[in-house]
Amino acid sequence: MDAAGSHSGHLALSLDGDLDVQGGRDDYVFALIGHGGLDSDGHPTAGQRAGAVDIKVGGTTTLTEHPDTSDASIWPLGHLVSTPGEAGAGQVRFITGGLRYDTESAGDEVLLTDLFVDRFAPNLAHGNVTLGATGAGGMTVAERFAYESNHDFTLLSTRDIRFDAGVQNDGSGAVQAVSGWDGETG
């Protein structure tokens, strides 16, 4: 399928177990849960990307790049667009029991690092974003999550939410954090 052009439609992924997402073996080969693609130079293809992306993982989500490639072998969650204003409405909801970036970590908490922020924050340009943790380790904002958006960003955790770094929106969208969440609403 040609990834160029306009793509729309609600994408939903719901798993009781674990989800492993690994970038490919070659540069610009990636694992994407959303609409879009990359051209031969590694740039997002043109076209409108619209529709909600709803990912719910009961176990641990592991996001890794293939060890034999450069950073161009990525794992985007949400739509890939060539210019931020080009996307249509695209709310992203990502709920997981745990989140890790290698196969050695325990993965019982959702740990937000610079790598995750760099790859996930662009979703806020296109719609509201909800990030939830349902594992025993709760959620930790380990490194600064800074962005500018008119869309809302919601952090949910069935346990606690720890802020080792700040979350800052220079736009008008709300930033909300709820610990003790019931795991279903919101």
Side-chain angles (χ1 to χ4, degrees):
M1 179 178 101
D2 182 7
S6 297
H7 302 279
S8 64
H10 179 94
L11 298 171
L13 173 66
S14 182
L15 300 169
D16 291 332
D18 297 337
L19 173 65
D20 295 323
V21 181
Q22 183 181 71
R25 183 175 294 279
D26 298 316
D27 286 352
Y28 311 121
V29 177
F30 56 93
L32 167 67
I33 301 175
H35 294 299
L38 299 176
D39 63 21
S40 61
D41 294 324
H43 301 106
T45 56
Q48 183 180 17
R49 312 293 185 238
V53 177
D54 190 359
I55 304 165
K56 186 171 184 181
V57 180
T60 298
T61 301
T62 303
L63 304 172
T64 57
E65 296 172 354
H66 194 281
D68 298 335
T69 60
S70 71
D71 287 340
S73 175
I74 59 175
W75 42 256
L77 302 177
H79 304 308
L80 284 177
V81 295
S82 56
T83 55
E86 193 173 283
Q91 168 176 301
V92 175
R93 184 173 180 257
F94 176 44
I95 310 296
T96 187
L99 180 62
R100 61 185 183 171
Y101 309 98
D102 59 58
T103 55
E104 287 80 41
S105 303
D108 65 345
E109 75 173 320
V110 172
L111 182 66
L112 305 182
T113 65
D114 280 339
L115 181 62
F116 184 82
V117 171
D118 289 346
R119 302 252 172 102
F120 198 73
N123 289 310
L124 284 156
H126 316 298
N128 297 333
V129 170
T130 300
L131 182 58
T134 58
M139 180 183 292
T140 299
V141 178
E143 294 169 296
R144 188 169 184 251
F145 204 125
Y147 61 97
E148 184 174 347
S149 175
N150 296 328
H151 300 288
D152 295 346
F153 180 45
T154 303
L155 299 171
L156 305 171
S157 178
T158 56
R159 303 289 183 145
D160 56 348
I161 301 176
R162 291 173 299 285
F163 291 90
D164 295 341
V167 176
Q168 179 178 342
N169 180 12
D170 290 330
S172 62
V175 177
Q176 304 163 72
V178 177
S179 61
W181 172 54
D182 67 6
E184 295 297 324
T185 58

